[in-house]
């Protein structure tokens, strides 16, 4: 996993949390460990679309289903960006 991409996704997660407290690792689960709710997930999805235009128009359902933890989200973004630039 690219550390730079993980850092950027972590920054987006922290911004959506609005607590200033970063996830402890790439394994931090959005719901269970970080306390995300549906509105926070929608905010995070929009932040990701705005900050990572290579994602294109990823449906919210697809993005949310890949948001189990920070690492899984990072992998989803990497895969989606590759598919959209190929």
């Amino acid at each position: 996993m690219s550390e730079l991409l993980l850092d950027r996704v972590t920054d987006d997660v922290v911004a959506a949390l609005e607590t200033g407290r970063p996830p402890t690792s790439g394994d931090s689960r959005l719901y269970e460990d970080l306390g995300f709710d549906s509105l926070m997930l929608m905010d995070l999805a929009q932040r990701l679309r705005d900050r990572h235009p290579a994602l294109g128009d990823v449906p919210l359902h697809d993005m949310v289903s890949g948001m189990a933890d920070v690492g899984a989200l990072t992998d989803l973004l990497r895969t989606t960006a590759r598919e959209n630039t190929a």
Side-chain angles (χ1 to χ4, degrees), residues 8 11-13 18 24 31 35 41 46 49 57 62 66 72 78-79 83 86:
R8 288 183 178 166
D11 289 346
D12 293 333
V13 169
E18 297 179 355
T24 57
Y31 288 108
L41 284 175
Q46 189 59 50
R49 286 186 191 119
D57 189 25
D62 292 348
R78 181 181 299 108
T79 300
E83 289 171 357

Side-chain angles (χ1 to χ4, degrees), residues 27-84:
D27 296 328
S28 294
R29 296 169 300 176
L30 297 176
Y31 288 108
E32 296 88 348
D33 298 330
L34 301 175
F36 266 71
D37 61 24
S38 59
L39 292 176
M40 295 165 83
L41 284 175
M42 291 178 65
D43 179 47
L44 176 58
Q46 189 59 50
R47 286 176 191 277
L48 292 169
R49 286 186 191 119
D50 292 347
R51 289 191 53 182
H52 306 281
L55 290 175
D57 189 25
V58 178
L60 181 62
H61 178 268
D62 292 348
M63 193 176 291
V64 170
S65 67
M67 291 181 170
D69 58 52
V70 177
L73 176 57
T74 303
D75 290 341
L76 171 72
L77 297 177
R78 181 181 299 108
T79 300
T80 303
R82 268 193 220 128
E83 289 171 357
N84 288 340

